[in-house]
Amino acid sequence: MEDRRRLLKALAACAMPGVAGTALATPASAQPWPVKPIRMVVPFPAGSSPDLIARLLTEKLAAALGQAVVVENRPGAGGNIGTGMVARAAPDGYTLLLTINGPLVTAPTLSRHLGYDPVRQLAPVSLVATSPNVLVVDARLPVHDVREFVALARSRPGVLNYGSVGNGSAAHLAMEQLKAAAGIDLQHIPYPGFAQITTAMVGGQVQAGFMVPVIAMPLVTAGKLRIIAVTTSGRTSLLPAVPTVAESGYPGFEAISWQAVLAPAGTPAPVIDRLYRELVAIIGSEDVRAKMRAQYFVPAGTAPQSLRQTMASEKVRWDKVIRAAGVQPE
């Protein structure tokens, strides 16, 4: 009888509001993710290459998840401002980041007051695309290849300007790598995004720069810019007629841009896994792959751990470039 009374009391306690009742109800009442719109932060301006990739992915990701996925541009400091914002966001699955390699692998070395740690504060989801960089010059310059560009720079030390999207960006470090290898002196002018760089090049304020082909090609076709090299180790199928920097007298030169999706560290593992699986499926679809290649991107799609390994190995490689080129932290 005593055992029966104890059992009845326990059941009554579970039925009443309170800790015991709440604990039992939690698994059944937990809401499935996602139940509201998701924001994908792009730490570069609208029209930039990360923005283009984000907008290509979010429509299909929204359809797969059953919730809107909204691109939010937060440019500044070479991508560090928007990246830091995501690193400090709530790890609830409703804030994502799509960024390039700079804020993830070189910014910690080159920024004394970065304000975030990409290894500790960001959770990799998937590498989504890679792209060669192209070395472009103002079409009014009398240069058609890397050798002529280097010769012109040597004849006018400190006079030619080049643009990048900030200290530690792929465009910045690629040119610093070339400067060190070729022994030339160019002035670095940072801009918020490539749209501003191309405007400056057309206006004559900037004479050269590394950028991804999707940004450069419209102005190349219009005769405003000229591509003189690509930064892959061998010629790329995206631009097979364009020589590499490596074959133009600087063996070993390589500078690839890549783009990845991450979330705040602490985002639940099932959410990360769902995002990874959906992104890989989207990137693997024929229409997305065709659109990526049409914009001069090579589709990727990797597991979170693979992206983490990429970040680690790229940091080691670019730290060597930074030291060799003498690039100083800001």
Side-chain angles (χ1 to χ4, degrees), residues 5 145-146 191 201 223 232 262 291 305 328:
R5 280 197 293 268
D145 56 35
V146 174
Y191 291 89
M201 292 186 75
T232 43
L262 303 95
K291 288 177 182 177
Q305 185 56 34
Q328 296 299 311

Side-chain angles (χ1 to χ4, degrees), residues 2-326:
E2 185 63 27
D3 289 342
R4 177 179 173 80
R5 280 197 293 268
R6 288 174 180 166
L7 177 60
L8 290 174
K9 285 181 180 179
L11 291 173
C14 290
M16 294 171 61
V19 175
T22 301
L24 287 177
T26 297
S29 63
Q31 293 180 312
W33 175 89
V35 295
K36 62 180 183 179
I38 298 164
R39 63 173 178 167
M40 180 175 284
V41 174
V42 175
F44 296 97
S48 62
S49 59
D51 179 72
L52 295 174
I53 289 294
R55 294 180 190 279
L56 181 59
L57 297 177
T58 50
E59 182 179 355
K60 285 184 174 288
L61 186 60
L65 297 176
Q67 287 289 341
V69 184
V70 181
V71 175
E72 183 175 321
N73 298 96
R74 288 297 185 98
N80 295 347
I81 290 176
T83 301
M85 185 181 75
V86 175
R88 294 183 291 271
D92 55 9
Y94 294 100
T95 300
L96 304 176
L97 171 71
L98 192 150
T99 189
I100 59 176
N101 30 332
L104 302 176
V105 301
T106 57
T109 302
L110 291 169
S111 300
R112 290 191 177 94
H113 307 291
L114 187 59
Y116 66 91
D117 183 332
V119 175
R120 291 192 307 103
Q121 292 181 271
L122 290 170
V125 176
S126 182
L127 183 71
V128 296
T130 65
S131 175
N133 286 289
V134 291
L135 176 54
V136 294
V137 298
D138 183 341
R140 291 165 291 198
L141 286 185
V143 300
H144 297 81
D145 56 35
V146 174
R147 290 182 176 86
E148 290 181 352
F149 174 69
V150 168
L152 179 64
R154 286 175 178 167
S155 72
R156 303 169 64 185
V159 174
L160 300 183
N161 297 326
Y162 78 93
S164 86
V165 292
N167 201 47
S169 64
H172 175 216
L173 293 182
M175 190 63 85
E176 290 300 319
Q177 188 179 2
L178 180 60
K179 283 172 57 180
I184 55 177
D185 180 16
L186 308 174
Q187 295 301 310
H188 176 214
I189 303 180
Y191 291 89
F194 283 112
Q196 292 83 358
I197 296 174
T198 54
T199 298
M201 292 186 75
V202 171
Q205 292 83 38
V206 169
Q207 287 72 50
F210 283 97
M211 59 185 68
V212 289
V214 67
I215 301 298
M217 287 306 295
L219 289 169
V220 171
T221 302
K224 303 292 185 180
L225 301 181
R226 181 180 299 124
I227 294 179
I228 60 174
V230 295
T231 60
T232 43
S233 57
R235 294 204 183 194
T236 172
S237 61
L238 298 174
L239 294 165
V242 181
T244 67
V245 176
E247 73 181 83
S248 302
Y250 303 96
F253 188 101
E254 185 178 16
I256 305 302
S257 290
W258 47 267
Q259 305 190 25
V261 172
L262 303 95
T267 299
V271 172
I272 297 291
D273 183 64
R274 173 83 185 279
L275 285 167
Y276 147 66
R277 288 186 287 105
E278 298 292 1
L279 284 169
V280 169
I282 291 167
I283 296 165
S285 63
E286 287 300 322
D287 61 328
V288 170
R289 294 179 71 84
K291 288 177 182 177
M292 281 191 176
R293 294 191 68 85
Q295 295 180 358
Y296 302 95
F297 295 109
V298 178
T302 65
Q305 185 56 34
S306 178
L307 174 55
R308 186 177 298 280
Q309 292 169 353
T310 296
M311 289 169 61
S313 62
E314 282 279 280
K315 187 175 190 314
V316 171
R317 189 171 78 84
W318 283 108
D319 278 356
K320 292 179 180 177
V321 172
I322 290 167
R323 288 194 298 270

